[in-house]
Amino acid sequence: MSKKRVLAIHDISCFGKCSLTVAIPIISASGTECAVMPTAVLSTHTGGFTGYTYRDLTDDLMPITEHWKTLDIGFDSIYTGFLGSFEQIGIVSKIIDDLRLEDTIIVIDPVMADNGVLYPIFGEDFPGEMRKLCGKADVILPNITEAAMLLGEEYVTGPYTEEYIEGLLKRLGTIGAKNIILTGVHFNSGHLGAAAYDVRTGAVSYSFHETIPGYYHGTGDVFGSVIVASLMNGLDLERANGIAVDFTAESILRTRNAGTDVRFGVDFETGLGKLIDQIREGRE
Ligand code: PXL
């Protein structure tokens, strides 16, 4: 398999292990090059910290793209996460149009909400604009709150029924994305995981891990980065989902056992060796 190159479009939260500080090491460790387009630079992520700095890089995104267009470079995947402003969604949509090749896999994580609540830095019009961006994706990675917001539906708390989850997946299938991986799926309090849905075939598969109590930051980005790393290594969506659920849960468990502040991100680094072995085995 030829060496792959991903473009990760996320913020840099300098402390707190999420977005680019998670995507770069995970994607690189899997043997795939990870180029970056930083959407903003923050001293920390916004989850649970106060007084963080925020430098918006919206004005830099198109000049970076224009420069790259003068170079002979292409991307096998474009992976977007936290976008710093409403305006950035439209700009990122244009960047995808400008930089995508015929086979570029577009992975969009509509980072904007959790636990029924839109992140306070985003306005009420954000989900509608994010829905348009998701329409361009080969894979979208919403959690259940984001899924409800993309659809303009009320957020429902779990545990869920299979009927509810598969209904949500089908309705998400009308947005235009080809595949959906829905995170935060649980049918009981003991297991938490994600559902993978192929819109064209209607196939749904699930992957679960034992629930680990607590709310740990940056786990969506750990999960998404493993999905991208797995897809770039030729794994299918179901296998990628299984590996990403296990890797994320094991990272959370190590962090919980260490008693680390939940805002500081999860210990994913210790799991990288095993991750690479699993991706390699999945490829064989
Ligand atoms: O992990 C998602 C994320 C990424 N970047 C920033 C965030 C968050 C979630 O809160 O605040 C800046």
Side-chain angles (χ1 to χ4, degrees):
M1 202 177 345
S2 66
K3 188 163 169 63
K4 297 284 169 57
R5 180 188 290 133
V6 172
L7 168 58
I9 308 181
H10 302 241
D11 70 286
I12 299 180
S13 288
C14 299
F15 182 79
K17 288 198 280 184
C18 66
S19 39
L20 285 183
T21 64
V22 161
I24 299 168
I26 292 176
I27 293 168
S28 298
S30 76
T32 295
E33 178 182 341
C34 185
V36 300
M37 189 177 288
T39 56
V41 179
L42 297 85
S43 51
T44 65
H45 59 72
T46 64
F49 293 107
T50 52
Y52 50 82
T53 67
Y54 189 101
R55 182 164 306 274
D56 178 39
L57 296 179
T58 302
D59 290 345
D60 292 284
L61 304 186
M62 280 320 294
I64 292 171
T65 308
E66 292 305 327
H67 180 217
W68 286 351
K69 282 161 70 179
T70 69
L71 308 172
D72 188 20
I73 52 175
F75 299 102
D76 300 288
S77 176
I78 299 178
Y79 166 37
T80 78
F82 181 93
L83 303 180
S85 64
F86 179 88
E87 194 196 349
Q88 273 190 10
I89 303 176
I91 295 173
V92 166
S93 179
K94 174 153 180 13
I95 290 169
I96 290 173
D97 292 341
D98 282 2
L99 296 179
R100 79 184 305 170
L101 306 169
E102 207 179 318
D103 294 334
T104 302
I105 297 175
I106 310 296
V107 179
I108 294 178
D109 186 350
V111 177
M112 59 184 173
D114 210 352
N115 287 318
V117 183
L118 188 67
Y119 293 149
I121 48 167
F122 298 135
E124 291 301 320
D125 51 359
F126 199 87
E129 193 71 358
M130 187 56 94
R131 178 184 166 120
K132 288 190 219 157
L133 182 64
C134 285
K136 294 203 159 157
D138 292 287
V139 186
I140 58 170
L141 306 170
N143 60 35
I144 294 195
T145 305
E146 290 158 348
M149 287 185 180
L150 287 173
L151 293 168
E153 296 180 6
E154 281 296 307
Y155 169 67
V156 178
T157 53
Y160 302 99
T161 61
E162 238 173 274
E163 193 187 4
Y164 174 73
I165 294 298
E166 293 184 14
L168 202 54
L169 289 171
K170 287 213 173 67
R171 295 193 292 284
L172 284 168
T174 64
I175 286 179
K178 296 192 182 79
N179 297 278
I180 295 150
I181 297 189
L182 180 66
T183 60
V185 174
H186 56 287
F187 297 132
N188 53 59
S189 58
H191 290 87
L192 178 66
Y197 177 55
D198 180 327
V199 176
R200 191 180 55 83
T201 65
V204 180
S205 61
Y206 293 95
S207 184
F208 292 103
H209 192 281
E210 276 164 37
T211 305
I212 304 146
Y215 181 81
Y216 289 81
H217 288 274
T219 53
D221 300 329
V222 169
F223 181 86
S225 301
V226 176
I227 295 289
V228 172
S230 301
L231 295 178
M232 287 296 95
N233 277 281
L235 274 58
D236 65 20
L237 207 65
E238 182 174 354
R239 188 84 189 99
N241 188 30
I243 293 177
V245 165
D246 285 346
F247 183 78
T248 308
E250 287 166 18
S251 300
I252 294 171
L253 191 58
R254 275 192 293 275
T255 312
R256 182 179 162 82
N257 289 343
T260 312
D261 187 323
V262 296
R263 299 172 303 171
F264 290 7
V266 291
D267 175 7
F268 69 89
E269 298 90 338
T270 306
L272 285 174
K274 179 177 165 192
L275 173 69
I276 305 323
D277 290 343
Q278 282 182 315
I279 288 179
R280 198 171 296 133
E281 277 162 28
R283 214 165 47 189
E284 279 157 6

